[in-house]
């Protein structure tokens, strides 16, 4: 099978799977992933490993778009409007999951690099399932507003955490890199600051010329081209392309909000096929033969992530004097995890596969844990979100 045929099949079958899952009130992205699992080498074998190893350009482009979308949400007006309590909750729930997962994974595997990477991935929250539940029960109130705000900016924290954690993990996984303050602190900082500056400079340039671009189609083409240039330059300089494109999206959203809003319809029409193909082919990476080996680790990861989210969010809400209903229930509404977390799992494969067998094993472990636990988080997560909204009294319709 050639790559274009695989992408076409992934787009069509993934689309059908998303529609079927929507009918039973499960987010479409879960349907895309599950269809990929079914078509992967572990089940039907439609997408063999040889094909999956050659779709790197599609993955790079999809990851760039995802990161750009995250950056779009980070406008200064929105961040000011969120207030101190929500920013505090986001930081504590993300770092809570990161720390607890780190400790649990390190205790089970004794591998610092594996603990760091899984900890970083665990901090991300999938907004799709959460937003679906909020709409379903017609929720309204302090808890609802807080949940919506958290899932909107949570993934940005995850990208920054991953940039730090992966840079440090490379020190521990590579026998060629000696441990030093430079390699564990200065080098990651250079990578992160360089990525943010690169995205900021390109975004400023696009914003400067945006006033002269009247056509929405023309501006959309400029945005796509700039994302591609950003990915290419990031790879060239050794920066995080995820952070660079997040910075690009954030810069344009703050400097040129009107042109960006003008192309929203074009963006929403043109990009879904890319996302569907990406998540379907990502799901095809599941290796069922590895499930017995990662079963305990996967369950421990899930429990640790839930514990970190609940305790971190509750503590952040308490010290920021958030409303009591937020302090009590917000942590139980942050469990769904697919989307950006699975995207990060793909990035792990790209970043660590060059480190020989340990790197490839890490990549296999991370993506299989994410695919394995998606089933749990996408079922338990929406249920607990609905329970929280009903108990808090903010659900106006018990669906």
């Amino acid at each position: 099978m050639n790559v274009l045929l695989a992408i076409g099949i992934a787009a069509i079958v993934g689309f059908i799977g998303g529609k079927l899952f929507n009918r039973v009130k499960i987010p479409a992205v879960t349907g895309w992933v599950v269809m990929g699992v079914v078509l992967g080498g572990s089940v039907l074998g439609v997408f063999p490993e040889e094909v999956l190893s050659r779709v790197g350009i599609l993955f790079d482009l999809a990851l760039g778009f995802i990161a750009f979308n995250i950056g779009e949400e980070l406008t200064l007006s929105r961040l000011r409007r969120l207030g101190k309590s929500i920013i505090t909750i986001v930081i504590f729930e993300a770092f809570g999951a990161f720390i607890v997962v780190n400790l649990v994974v390190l205790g089970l595997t004794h591998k610092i690099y594996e603990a760091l990477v899984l900890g970083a991935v665990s901090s991300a929250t999938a907004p799709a399932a959460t937003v679906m539940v909020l709409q379903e029960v017609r929720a309204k109130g302090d808890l609802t507003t807080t949940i919506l705000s958290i899932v909107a900016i949570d993934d940005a924290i995850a990208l920054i955490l991953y940039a730090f954690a992966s840079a440090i993990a490379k020190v521990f996984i590579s026998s060629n890199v000696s441990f030093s303050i430079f390699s564990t602190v200065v080098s990651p900082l250079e990578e992160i600051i360089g990525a943010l500056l690169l995205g900021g400079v390109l975004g400023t340039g696009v914003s400067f010329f945006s006033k002269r671009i009247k056509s929405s189609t023309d501006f959309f083409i400029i945005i796509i081209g700039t994302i591609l240039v950003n990915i290419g330059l990031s790879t060239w300089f050794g920066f995080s392309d995820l952070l660079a494109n997040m910075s690009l999206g954030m810069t344009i959203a703050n400097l040129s909000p009107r042109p960006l809003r003008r192309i929203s319809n074009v963006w929403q029409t043109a990009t879904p096929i890319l996302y569907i193909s990406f998540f379907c082919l990502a799901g095809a990476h599941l290796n069922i033969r590895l499930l017995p080996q990662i079963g305990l680790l996967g369950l421990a990861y899930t429990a640790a992530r839930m514990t970190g989210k609940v305790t971190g969010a509750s503590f952040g809400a308490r010290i920021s004097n958030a409303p009591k209903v937020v302090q009590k229930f917000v942590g139980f509404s942050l469990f769904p995890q697919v989307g950006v977390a699975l995207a990060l799992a793909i990035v792990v494969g790209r970043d660590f596969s060059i480190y020989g067998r340990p790197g490839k094993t890490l990549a296999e472990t991370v993506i299989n844990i994410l695919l394995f636990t998606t089933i749990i988080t996408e079922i338990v997560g929406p249920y607990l979100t609905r329970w929280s909204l009903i108990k808090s009294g903010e659900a106006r319709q018990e669906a």
Side-chain angles (χ1 to χ4, degrees):
M1 175 183 292
N2 61 61
V3 172
L4 289 178
L5 179 58
I7 293 172
I9 292 173
I12 295 170
V13 177
F15 172 77
I16 294 170
K19 290 297 183 183
L20 292 175
F21 273 64
N22 268 163
R23 291 196 171 193
V24 291
K25 305 300 182 183
I26 296 176
V29 64
T30 306
W32 305 342
V33 173
V34 170
M35 295 307 288
V37 171
V38 173
L39 295 177
S42 293
V43 185
L44 297 181
V46 175
F47 298 143
E49 187 176 340
E50 184 266 336
V51 170
L52 296 177
S53 66
R54 292 191 286 122
V55 292
I57 292 179
L58 172 74
F59 283 2
D60 287 343
L61 186 58
L63 290 167
F65 278 39
I66 290 169
F68 184 88
N69 285 149
I70 292 171
E72 279 187 280
E73 303 295 328
L74 303 178
T75 60
L76 294 177
S77 59
R78 167 174 283 187
L79 293 175
R80 278 196 297 266
R81 192 168 64 247
L82 293 181
K84 174 187 170 185
S85 66
I86 291 175
I87 299 298
T88 304
I89 294 169
V90 169
I91 292 172
F92 275 92
E93 59 89 11
F95 275 88
F98 175 73
I99 292 169
V100 176
V101 169
N102 252 293
L103 294 174
V104 170
V105 173
L106 185 59
L108 286 174
T109 67
H110 307 293
K111 297 175 181 176
I112 295 178
Y113 59 85
E114 192 167 304
L116 285 167
V117 170
L118 281 170
V121 171
S122 73
S123 61
T125 303
T130 303
V131 172
M132 184 193 72
V133 174
L134 296 176
Q135 293 174 346
E136 189 180 1
V137 300
R138 298 167 59 206
K140 191 174 183 180
D142 290 335
L143 177 62
T144 304
T145 302
T146 302
I147 293 170
L148 282 171
S149 302
I150 288 173
V151 299
I153 60 176
D154 172 271
D155 290 333
I157 303 292
L159 294 190
I160 295 170
L161 271 175
Y162 176 77
F164 263 112
S166 62
I168 297 171
K170 289 171 186 175
V171 176
F172 290 97
I173 199 172
S174 174
S175 57
N176 298 324
V177 181
S178 57
F179 181 86
S180 67
I181 295 297
F182 178 84
S183 59
T184 55
V185 178
V186 179
S187 184
L189 275 175
E190 285 183 345
E191 181 179 330
I192 291 169
I193 294 172
L196 295 176
L197 285 175
L198 176 60
V201 169
L202 290 175
T204 302
V206 170
S207 297
F208 177 77
F209 288 105
S210 65
K211 297 175 183 177
R212 305 180 185 183
I213 303 172
K214 303 301 181 183
S215 167
S216 298
T217 304
D218 291 350
F219 189 63
F220 177 74
I221 293 170
I222 294 297
I223 293 291
I224 301 301
T226 307
I227 290 174
L228 290 171
V229 168
N230 208 11
I231 295 170
L233 289 177
S234 298
T235 304
W236 192 359
F237 290 120
F239 298 153
S240 166
D241 57 331
L242 291 176
L243 282 185
N245 277 301
M246 185 187 81
S247 176
L248 175 67
M250 181 171 61
T251 303
I252 296 174
N254 281 282
L255 297 181
S256 303
R258 286 186 179 179
L260 208 53
R261 281 197 296 269
R262 282 207 323 265
I263 67 166
S264 61
N265 289 335
V266 183
W267 186 277
Q268 291 169 11
T269 302
T271 56
I273 188 170
L274 178 66
Y275 295 149
I276 294 171
S277 300
F278 169 75
F279 283 109
C280 185
L281 290 169
H285 282 80
L286 179 68
N287 187 344
I288 291 178
R289 293 187 298 275
L290 293 178
L291 292 185
Q293 301 174 33
I294 65 168
L296 175 61
L297 182 58
L299 293 174
Y301 166 88
T302 304
R305 179 177 175 272
M306 288 181 172
T307 301
K309 288 281 184 183
V310 172
T311 54
S314 299
F315 183 72
R318 196 172 297 115
I319 66 171
S320 61
N321 295 317
K324 293 292 183 184
V325 68
V326 174
Q327 295 181 28
K328 188 173 181 181
F329 293 109
V330 67
F332 293 99
S333 305
L334 304 174
F335 292 159
Q337 182 177 44
V338 65
V340 171
L342 186 54
L344 285 175
I346 295 295
V347 175
V348 173
R350 186 187 65 190
D351 290 351
F352 287 86
S353 59
I354 61 174
Y355 292 97
R357 189 63 241 168
K360 291 179 181 177
T361 301
L362 172 64
E364 288 177 351
T365 300
V366 172
I367 195 164
N368 279 281
I369 283 178
L370 262 294
L371 291 170
F372 171 65
T373 58
T374 289
I375 300 169
I376 301 172
T377 59
E378 293 303 305
I379 293 174
V380 175
Y383 172 80
L384 287 175
T385 301
R386 184 183 290 111
W387 174 83
S388 299
L389 294 166
I390 292 172
K391 288 293 182 181
S392 67
E394 294 192 7
R396 292 182 290 170
Q397 174 179 305
E398 289 195 24

